[in-house]
Amino acid sequence: MATALQPIRRTTASEEDPAKLRLPLTTGEEDVELQEEKPRRTKRVAALDIFRGLTVALMILVDGAGGEWPVIGHAPWNGCNLADFVMPFFLFIVGMAIPLSLKRMPNRVLAVRRVLVRTIKLIFWGLILQGGYSHAPDELTYGVDMKHIRWCGILQRIALAYLVVAVLEIFIKNAKVQDETPVGWSILGACILVIYLTTIYATYVPDWKYTVHNANSVDNGKVFTVLCSTRGRLDPPCNAVGYIDRQVLGINHMYQHPAWKRSKACTYDSPHEGPFRKDAPSWCQAPFDPEGILSSISSILSTIIGVHYGHVLVHMKSHLERLKHWVLIGLGLLILGILLHFVHAIPLNKQLYSFSYVCTTAGAAGILFSVFYILVDILHLRTIFLPLEWIGMNAMLVFVMAAEGIFEGFLNGWYYESPNNTLVYWVQKHVFVKVWHSRRVGILLYVIFAQILFWALVSGILHRLRIYWKL
């Protein structure tokens, strides 16, 4: 789908080339070096680090302030809020880094082994952080009942996309087809799209039941029946994405707090969380996995588009040539995705990872990366973006410690008299909320300064010490 859009020319030894680019959340061995002139020196495309850092910062913002600011959090169903750009941005960056990480690995066996090892590590950390084992930052417990462990998650989705796309890149690279117009990516993209669209519109979804497992709900233990008996619907209760997850993963292994619980059909406080309406439909308390099986297959398209941008970065000669290619594709994808949504052909939907959502978010990623490339790698306006660059160079550390709340969970373990009397809560209440006399503003500023900026400074110090979390 991606690289077949235009033949890609190879660079000569004197042409610009990126170096030392890292996969998001998997830093380390995929550094790429190039001899541009003698003496030999390495050059780093800072725009990719900054884009990665921005994406991690957005995730921290979403997790910390999304509940207070719905426009920051995920859209309850159709639509696209700020939070809905985080996952596809990660996948796009993964795709961009793959051609660079594998460029100087002529040994196919070693390359595949590296990809497999990193895939396993991503899945392992995904299960620990989002499978239910970690209860940070609020609950001072750990462990998960294996009957209810969540098998899917952000890192698991990244692992799947990385595995599929990286393995294909290895075989295309070793087949020495870079000098031609590669058709492998177009075939893979078309197959994924056909499989996704055929499955989501042709699969018959029967009626189904679920039991509420929520000790804080008055309906805890009750069994609800959801009436479907249909096919081709894209609404919350009766879509094929949820049906496949219920059949393959099991309903107890799916995400228990989907964004649809904030929809108008479920609560009067929509788009905020609130008590369920008395006439709320039966599916409102049901689980649904936004990183499920079918939607994860569709998400591979975001990574394929990123791969094409990475190929352009490697093989095209000049800044202008790269930018023309990137911007034209980005605008085309963005316009296509928005049109599909507003003509009611295919709605923008992160939880289904719809085709319009793929186009819109990948187009936005391409344009945003192009802007960073102009500002930082061409105009050299790098200093103002240093906090994001530092985060991007230690993305896995910041993701685990801040976005997944491990560091705050550690701090919450040191309390005075009551588990609610901790340094984290004290800072939130007295330094931010009380000063601004607003919980919404206070929490937003807490996330920006006490989390994002704090971890940017920590990452900057670690960068000076050349310490990185490598997978």
Side-chain angles (χ1 to χ4, degrees):
M1 174 179 177
T3 44
L5 296 175
Q6 179 174 328
I8 293 176
R9 287 172 286 181
R10 299 179 63 82
T11 57
T12 64
S14 63
E15 293 167 351
E16 296 176 344
D17 197 68
K20 292 187 176 178
L21 294 175
R22 295 187 174 93
L23 285 172
L25 309 183
T26 57
T27 61
E29 299 171 359
E30 61 280 349
D31 293 350
V32 179
E33 295 184 353
L34 177 75
Q35 183 174 352
E36 288 187 302
E37 58 185 56
K38 294 182 182 294
R40 186 177 188 187
R41 62 188 177 90
T42 60
K43 184 180 179 182
R44 186 182 187 93
V45 178
L48 197 57
D49 277 329
I50 292 168
F51 191 17
R52 185 186 298 115
L54 174 66
T55 305
V56 176
L58 284 178
M59 174 167 281
I60 298 171
L61 185 66
V62 167
D63 290 343
E68 300 293 334
W69 298 82
V71 70
I72 295 176
H74 292 289
W77 193 244
N78 290 337
C80 204
N81 291 352
L82 185 62
D84 299 311
F85 287 93
V86 173
M87 184 79 251
F89 279 8
F90 272 135
L91 294 171
F92 177 90
I93 297 168
V94 168
M96 279 203 70
I98 284 174
L100 296 139
S101 67
L102 300 174
K103 181 181 176 183
R104 290 185 177 273
M105 290 198 68
N107 189 307
R108 181 184 297 177
V109 175
L110 290 178
V112 171
R113 186 173 68 180
R114 184 212 284 184
V115 168
L116 290 176
V117 169
R118 287 185 171 173
T119 299
I120 292 170
K121 288 180 179 179
L122 283 169
I123 293 173
F124 169 78
W125 280 107
L127 291 175
I128 292 293
L129 296 171
Q130 293 190 301
Y133 182 86
S134 171
H135 303 163
D138 297 320
E139 297 182 30
L140 302 181
T141 58
Y142 64 92
V144 59
D145 182 353
M146 293 300 293
K147 291 178 65 175
H148 297 279
I149 187 172
R150 183 188 175 201
W151 296 118
C152 298
I154 294 170
L155 295 183
Q156 294 94 312
R157 171 168 286 179
I158 292 175
L160 172 65
Y162 171 60
L163 175 65
V164 172
V165 177
V167 168
L168 182 58
E169 173 72 8
I170 290 168
F171 282 91
I172 289 178
K173 171 176 174 289
N174 282 273
K176 300 184 184 299
V177 299
Q178 290 100 325
D179 293 323
E180 306 172 5
T181 301
V183 297
W185 296 111
S186 296
I187 293 173
L188 177 61
C191 288
I192 289 172
L193 185 58
V194 169
I195 291 171
Y196 175 79
L197 292 178
T198 301
T199 305
I200 202 168
Y201 286 109
T203 300
Y204 176 78
V205 180
D207 300 343
W208 53 282
K209 297 180 180 181
Y210 72 95
T211 303
V212 176
H213 297 288
N214 183 358
N216 297 321
S217 172
V218 295
D219 296 320
N220 186 38
K222 288 187 179 179
V223 178
F224 287 89
T225 300
V226 181
L227 302 178
C228 289
S229 299
T230 186
R231 71 179 79 242
R233 285 170 57 179
L234 303 180
D235 57 355
C238 299
N239 60 79
V241 172
Y243 171 67
I244 290 174
D245 288 341
R246 291 191 295 272
Q247 296 300 113
V248 178
L249 301 174
I251 197 166
N252 289 336
H253 299 287
M254 296 166 63
Y255 186 52
Q256 299 296 315
H257 307 286
W260 75 28
K261 294 186 176 184
R262 296 185 286 105
S263 64
K264 292 181 179 179
C266 295
T267 175
Y268 292 110
D269 294 334
S270 179
H272 294 274
E273 286 192 38
F276 288 112
R277 300 165 58 114
K278 292 182 178 179
D279 59 345
S282 58
W283 49 265
C284 281
Q285 297 185 70
F288 180 88
D289 211 307
E291 281 86 39
I293 296 171
L294 185 58
S295 57
S296 290
I297 292 174
S298 174
S299 72
I300 297 173
L301 294 171
S302 297
T303 310
I304 293 175
I305 296 169
V307 166
H308 179 64
Y309 274 68
H311 284 160
V312 170
L313 191 60
V314 171
H315 298 301
M316 284 194 170
K317 293 182 178 180
S318 67
H319 293 314
L320 182 60
E321 211 174 6
R322 291 168 177 169
L323 287 169
K324 285 167 62 177
H325 199 89
W326 288 336
V327 172
L328 283 175
I329 292 178
L331 285 175
L333 289 169
L334 188 62
I335 292 170
L336 175 59
I338 292 173
L339 281 176
L340 287 172
H341 176 75
F342 283 101
V343 300
H344 305 291
I346 303 176
L348 280 169
N349 192 295
K350 186 264 181 187
Q351 298 184 71
L352 300 178
Y353 221 98
S354 63
F355 181 59
S356 59
Y357 174 75
V358 171
C359 294
T360 301
T361 54
I367 293 171
L368 186 55
F369 172 77
S370 300
V371 171
F372 281 136
Y373 187 80
I374 293 170
L375 293 175
V376 178
D377 291 291
I378 298 178
L379 300 179
H380 305 293
L381 303 176
R382 188 172 178 175
T383 304
I384 60 174
F385 297 108
L386 279 177
L388 294 178
E389 185 177 356
W390 294 333
I391 292 175
M393 289 189 289
N394 231 324
M396 185 64 183
L397 175 71
V398 181
F399 175 84
V400 172
M401 292 296 176
E404 293 303 312
I406 298 301
F407 183 69
E408 280 195 355
F410 169 77
L411 291 181
N412 286 342
W414 305 86
Y415 57 88
Y416 187 77
E417 293 185 342
S418 167
N420 292 326
N421 190 18
T422 68
L423 178 62
V424 172
Y425 293 136
W426 188 93
V427 170
Q428 284 182 354
K429 180 178 180 180
H430 295 281
V431 179
F432 292 96
V433 175
K434 278 194 172 182
V435 170
W436 292 92
H437 304 287
S438 168
R439 178 170 175 78
R440 296 184 73 209
V441 175
I443 292 298
L444 179 63
L445 294 177
Y446 169 80
V447 172
I448 293 173
F449 289 98
Q451 291 187 314
I452 297 174
L453 185 58
F454 170 79
W455 282 104
L457 295 175
V458 171
S459 299
I461 294 170
L462 294 176
H463 171 58
R464 290 294 299 270
L465 299 173
R466 298 186 180 278
I467 298 175
Y468 306 98
W469 184 334
K470 300 178 181 181
L471 286 185

